[in-house]
Amino acid sequence: MRKPVIAGNWKLFKTSAEAVELVKGILPLVTGATNVEIVVAPVFTVLDRVSSVISGSNVNLSAQDCFWEAEGAFTGEISPKMLLDAGCSHVIIGHSERRQYFGETDETVNKKTKAAVAAGLKVLFCIGETLDERESGSTFDVLKRQIAGGLAGVPESDLCSIIVAYEPVWAIGTGKTASDDQAQEAHAFIRGEIKGLYSAAASDAMRVLYGGSVKPENIAGLISRPDIDGALVGGASLKADSFAALVNAAQK
Ligand code: PGA
């Protein structure tokens, strides 16, 4: 059985006081969710404070990105070992907003993924097609390329540190969720790619999350599908009650 994951991507929201208030609101609402890997991903500057609040709880801390070098003359970057030092257990890599606005490529995603896993972080490895790509019928080619490129050189023994997040770009922050069928179809394809690149065992064990306008109203249908193991959530993760509702739906 794959343990479901509900991860909240707070993006560029929440000052430290707001972040502390949010996570303090979430904690008492999710204490019963013993069978869900719960993750919150605030901005870098509040990681340390959120880490103190969640210490000893069932909520895990993630960053939204990291660099591949451990240290050096790389102004503005942050390394996996610094994220561990700030209390992170997870990191999001390759989010479509980073690919779209900050020049992230399959090659940089690959370097970051390998460095983060080597340092001992779990990676929320994001992939997904744009609207143009879906409409031109190239969704599966894009996913295939992103998986092969992003995971190049990652040995099967490291896959336990990787969680795939399938996020169709056209569904992120738009209120347009992929239908349960569209999401399941993409997830099954992704699982098939992992099987082809690695093994049936690796593919069976891999958690594949859906992301893109997930909310309490649509989580049940998504998570009931055989290849959907949880969600990476933006907007609905910014309020304690809606995030907790997603966690508790995944627990069922
Ligand atoms: P959304 O964002 O839930 O606001 O669509 C998802 C994401 O970008 O991870």
Side-chain angles (χ1 to χ4, degrees):
M1 267 299 275
R2 296 184 293 266
K3 186 175 187 172
V5 182
I6 298 292
N9 174 9
W10 295 0
K11 307 194 179 183
L12 188 55
F13 293 101
K14 306 288 176 189
T15 60
S16 59
E18 290 164 350
V20 166
E21 187 190 344
L22 174 56
V23 80
K24 280 189 172 162
I26 292 170
L27 287 176
L29 302 179
V30 300
T31 47
T34 47
N35 188 38
V36 183
E37 192 165 313
I38 308 167
V39 183
V40 293
V43 296
F44 291 129
T45 49
V46 309
L47 287 172
D48 199 42
R49 287 203 61 191
V50 172
S51 169
S52 311
V53 179
I54 63 177
S55 169
S57 78
N58 57 344
V59 175
N60 300 282
L61 189 63
S62 176
Q64 299 175 13
D65 184 30
C66 72
F67 191 48
W68 55 82
E69 294 289 347
E71 57 183 25
F74 302 106
T75 303
E77 290 298 328
I78 188 149
S79 72
K81 81 170 186 186
M82 289 160 186
L83 296 182
L84 287 164
D85 187 44
C88 291
S89 50
H90 293 63
V91 61
I92 297 171
I93 293 183
H95 190 279
S96 66
E97 285 151 16
R98 299 225 48 93
R99 294 179 189 258
Q100 211 176 336
Y101 307 129
F102 303 102
E104 201 81 76
T105 63
D106 291 330
E107 195 188 345
T108 59
V109 168
N110 180 243
K111 286 179 162 180
K112 291 178 175 191
T113 298
K114 288 196 281 199
V117 169
L121 288 162
K122 284 198 202 175
V123 171
L124 293 150
F125 172 82
C126 301
I127 56 175
E129 80 287 1
T130 62
L131 186 59
D132 279 354
E133 289 164 343
R134 175 156 285 262
E135 287 180 343
S136 67
S138 53
T139 296
F140 294 145
D141 293 337
V142 170
L143 296 178
K144 191 180 181 70
R145 190 201 74 221
Q146 290 174 331
I147 294 166
L151 297 181
V154 174
E156 182 161 339
S157 55
D158 281 348
L159 288 189
C160 53
S161 299
I162 294 178
I163 299 165
V164 176
Y166 167 63
E167 300 201 300
V169 178
W170 48 272
I172 295 180
T174 57
K176 259 198 238 166
T177 325
S179 69
D180 300 347
D181 285 347
Q182 281 173 322
Q184 167 57 28
E185 182 189 35
H187 283 232
F189 176 82
I190 291 164
R191 208 175 289 292
E193 286 301 294
I194 301 289
K195 185 175 173 187
L197 288 170
Y198 294 95
S199 67
S203 153
D204 285 345
M206 177 63 76
R207 270 95 54 89
V208 186
L209 315 185
Y210 171 78
S213 300
V214 174
K215 33 187 187 286
E217 300 77 54
N218 59 25
I219 183 85
L222 290 162
I223 202 136
S224 69
R225 293 309 181 102
D227 289 303
I228 303 180
D229 304 310
L232 178 56
V233 188
S237 74
L238 296 173
K239 291 220 167 76
D241 54 355
S242 53
F243 185 67
L246 296 171
V247 169
N248 292 318
Q251 165 76 12
K252 282 187 194 147

